[in-house]
Amino acid sequence: MQRLFRFIFCAILSFLIVTLSSFWRIAIAFLLCGTLSVNSLTCHWVNSDRATAAQPPPNAIAQQSVGKFYIAYGPVRSEFYRDFQVGLKNSGGAEHFAEFLNSFNLSLPVNVPIIFSECGQANAYYKPAKREIEICMDLTVNFVKLFYENKPNTPRETIFKQVGQVTLFVMLHETGHALVHLLNLPITGKEEDAVDDLATVILLEMKNETSESAVLNAAISFALEGDQRMKAEDIPFWDEHSLDKQRFFNLICSIYGKNPGKYSYLVQRNILPKSRAVRCGDEYAQKFNSWVRLLSSHVNNSPQPRNTRTPESVYPSNPPPRPSEPQPGWNW
């Protein structure tokens, strides 16, 4: 199965390089035609590698849940993002991500669309009123620029892999918001931090180089964004999110806490201060145990038969312009 995905990935990439002249257009199509997870990351639990991957809570992989995640393709206005969307559809990568989420067999009360669309701003959202996740393709473009401007001499393929992995982290982050809302999960601190933790735990418990790299690259993206806000007046102290640099340290603390031997260089190079590092093992264990306890009671052990046909997207292909104000709901 992994060979099949690599074949599809390489074939589509070759086609794009020949037919698309824009660097950014190639970048975006590369990311999503690479199934949002270079080396088949999102397929790790739902295909032949499942036996070697860390398992979700008992009985989580069972029959079809009451509600399920599915992929929808939302509004686009520009040819650039239309090409982006076509590449994603053709790859089937997003659908594999939804299959991965559904493999946990959580008792969702409704079907939850994960919508890829052009938003006019670099963000991603969970919208409680509509019970939907929206991933703005604009955000992936922003990540490409962020990594490219930081190290312009980095090979394009390396940048695309990094950004694809960060995009996957974002999708898991927004999925966390959806689960908190739909399953009425108790959260006593910042929800934004909690769902960062969920995305981190899911990826680190997969125990492979690519999934660990996804957390590292998400941390790097926070560090780079934090560097762009060096002036005090640019730092959103009021925001519901922790500061970018705080999110960076939280992620690398989890990485180190999960495997201190492998990631000892984070402390040796003073990337992670020793005063924080000594707590990271206990911090990660607490995050893991907390999310297992929160979700284990929501595993659907006796699912009812249902029509498993994927719901059709109801989003128009040529919608009216979007308003410029921020989207309602929980954002990235």
Side-chain angles (χ1 to χ4, degrees):
M1 183 63 72
Q2 288 192 359
R3 290 183 179 178
L4 173 62
F5 280 108
R6 290 193 182 101
F7 173 80
I8 295 172
F9 164 76
C10 293
I12 296 175
L13 175 61
S14 299
F15 170 78
L16 290 166
I17 291 175
V18 171
T19 59
L20 302 176
S21 58
S22 166
F23 169 80
W24 299 118
R25 190 175 299 175
I26 294 173
I28 298 311
F30 183 106
L31 293 171
L32 294 184
C33 289
T35 65
L36 284 173
S37 56
V38 177
N39 297 326
S40 302
L41 174 56
T42 59
C43 304
H44 191 80
W45 274 358
V46 296
N47 287 308
S48 58
D49 290 336
R50 181 180 295 164
T52 60
Q55 297 298 315
N59 300 321
I61 299 178
Q63 302 178 47
Q64 176 63 47
S65 300
V66 172
K68 67 177 182 178
F69 293 95
Y70 69 96
I71 302 302
Y73 298 94
V76 292
R77 296 188 298 276
S78 66
E79 181 183 357
F80 178 92
Y81 286 108
R82 190 168 293 110
D83 290 341
F84 189 144
Q85 208 174 64
V86 168
L88 175 58
K89 290 180 182 179
N90 290 341
S91 76
E95 284 73 16
H96 278 283
F97 176 77
E99 183 182 354
F100 166 71
L101 295 179
N102 292 328
S103 72
F104 287 91
N105 202 36
L106 295 171
S107 298
L108 298 175
V110 294
N111 288 324
V112 181
I114 302 173
I115 307 161
F116 290 86
S117 57
E118 178 185 359
C119 304
Q121 54 184 314
N123 218 324
Y125 307 92
Y126 171 67
K127 303 176 184 177
K130 295 184 177 180
R131 299 180 179 184
E132 67 185 25
I133 295 169
E134 182 170 30
I135 305 298
C136 302
M137 295 182 288
D138 320 60
L139 180 62
T140 304
V141 172
N142 185 69
F143 284 142
V144 173
K145 293 179 179 179
L146 187 71
F147 279 87
Y148 178 76
E149 290 171 359
N150 180 56
K151 292 185 177 180
N153 295 326
T154 302
R156 291 180 179 180
E157 181 176 344
T158 299
I159 292 177
F160 301 158
K161 287 181 179 179
Q162 290 176 313
V163 177
Q165 292 169 3
V166 178
T167 302
L168 177 61
F169 187 94
V170 172
M171 293 168 67
L172 289 169
H173 172 101
E174 297 305 328
T175 299
H177 283 307
L179 295 177
V180 169
H181 174 243
L182 295 173
L183 302 179
N184 195 27
L185 301 179
I187 300 295
T188 61
K190 289 184 177 181
E191 184 174 323
E192 296 295 342
D193 289 344
V195 297
D196 271 356
D197 292 341
L198 176 61
T200 300
V201 166
I202 289 174
L203 290 167
L204 294 183
E205 288 302 313
M206 293 174 74
K207 299 178 182 178
N208 65 72
E209 292 292 336
T210 308
S211 60
E212 292 175 7
S213 180
V215 182
L216 279 170
N217 282 313
I220 291 169
S221 73
F222 286 131
L224 295 177
E225 289 174 339
D227 288 341
Q228 294 182 348
R229 297 173 175 172
M230 297 302 294
K231 296 181 180 179
E233 58 268 26
D234 296 332
I235 300 175
F237 293 104
W238 45 265
D239 195 66
E240 70 270 21
H241 300 79
S242 293
L243 302 180
D244 291 326
K245 288 298 183 72
Q246 289 179 306
R247 296 175 84 177
F248 164 77
F249 282 110
N250 286 338
L251 263 60
I252 63 169
C253 181
S254 291
I255 293 168
Y256 175 79
K258 172 64 177 174
N259 195 338
K262 182 176 181 179
Y263 293 100
S264 59
Y265 72 87
L266 293 172
V267 180
Q268 293 168 358
R269 300 178 188 176
N270 201 33
I271 298 172
L272 178 65
K274 291 181 180 180
S275 58
R276 178 70 183 278
V278 296
R279 298 178 174 85
C280 291
D282 289 340
E283 284 188 29
Y284 180 77
Q286 183 182 50
K287 292 172 182 178
F288 173 82
N289 291 330
S290 296
W291 272 108
V292 168
R293 290 182 65 183
L294 286 172
L295 294 176
S296 59
S297 62
H298 295 279
V299 173
N300 186 9
N301 294 314
S302 300
Q304 299 298 315
R306 54 162 286 141
N307 182 358
T308 59
R309 183 178 64 86
T310 300
E312 297 292 334
S313 174
V314 296
Y315 295 89
S317 57
N318 295 299
R322 288 172 173 264
S324 59
E325 63 267 22
Q327 300 275 355
W330 297 100
N331 62 48
W332 168 247

